[in-house]
Amino acid sequence: LTLDSRLVEDWSLARETHEGAVYQSGDFTARVTVAHRAAGIGLLSVRVEKGGKGFAVDRFHVAVRTPLRDLHRIWVPHMLLEGTLDRVTLGGGPSILTCANRAIAFVAGLDRYGRNRMSVGLLDQTVETEVRGGGATDSGRNRIVEFIRPLPGMSLHRTVYEETVYLNCAEASWFEAMADFARFEAEATG
């Protein structure tokens, strides 16, 4: 998180409960909760506040690593100008911009048969988000998928910033993984 033009890295654990943990950094408080949606499907929620005062979210960056073993491609559903649904493969390091009017902040990592290996998405679809995938690997031979928002040079001004990261490692087809994410988003936002 980059808040008020400062990369916040000095979070200290303030409190831990069964539902999650509370971290502090200066005036900022971050509540992190983890929930299980189903077998192999988890939700990580983050809520950041600054004691009721407004602040700028300059960068929210989520990086997910998945083993390269049996990972054939990484793609994101993308609505083309013609209005048809296409699967845009994020291979070799390109990125796409997602927002509710052009794509969704959801990426699926698939095996060669189109089965889910790892799917990840962000609940809030209204903020323009850069989605990167496929180009970077770490020394542990893991593929890295990233979500970055807001776009460079922009800030989100909030008194509370909330986001939920959806992570699906369940055995399923790509369609079932995407459908479960769509159900989660519909349930969470009404």
Side-chain angles (χ1 to χ4, degrees), residues 159-173:
T159 54
V160 175
Y161 180 72
E162 293 181 280
E163 184 54 80
T164 298
V165 180
Y166 168 96
L167 182 61
N168 183 336
C169 296
E171 289 286 328
S173 70

Side-chain angles (χ1 to χ4, degrees), residues 70-157:
D70 209 21
L71 186 66
H72 182 65
R73 65 179 166 179
I74 295 174
W75 61 267
V76 62
H78 185 71
M79 198 59 106
L80 298 175
L81 293 177
E82 295 82 19
T84 60
L85 187 65
D86 190 18
R87 288 176 288 170
V88 176
T89 298
L90 292 176
S95 68
I96 67 164
L97 298 180
T98 67
C99 199
N101 64 346
R102 80 174 104 187
I104 59 174
F106 174 84
V107 172
L110 308 174
D111 69 10
R112 71 186 69 206
Y113 304 106
R115 291 186 308 246
N116 182 56
R117 296 280 300 135
M118 177 276 313
S119 296
V120 62
L122 300 182
L123 177 60
D124 186 351
Q125 298 295 321
T126 62
V127 178
E128 197 164 29
T129 304
E130 179 183 6
V131 178
R132 297 180 191 164
T137 59
D138 63 17
S139 59
R141 304 275 301 153
N142 293 309
R143 183 69 70 198
I144 301 171
V145 175
E146 299 173 288
F147 295 86
I148 301 165
R149 63 170 49 155
L151 299 181
M154 302 180 78
S155 293
L156 305 172
H157 296 276

Side-chain angles (χ1 to χ4, degrees), residues 18-21 31-47 60 62 64 106 119-124 163-169 177 180-189:
H18 264 286
E19 294 80 37
R31 286 177 176 74
V32 179
T33 57
V34 176
H36 296 279
R37 178 169 169 78
I41 304 173
L43 307 171
L44 174 83
S45 297
V46 178
R47 179 184 171 99
F60 179 75
V62 175
V64 177
F106 174 84
S119 296
V120 62
L122 300 182
L123 177 60
D124 186 351
E163 184 54 80
T164 298
V165 180
Y166 168 96
L167 182 61
N168 183 336
C169 296
D180 187 68
F181 176 75
R183 279 191 299 275
F184 159 67
E185 197 276 337
E187 293 163 6
T189 63

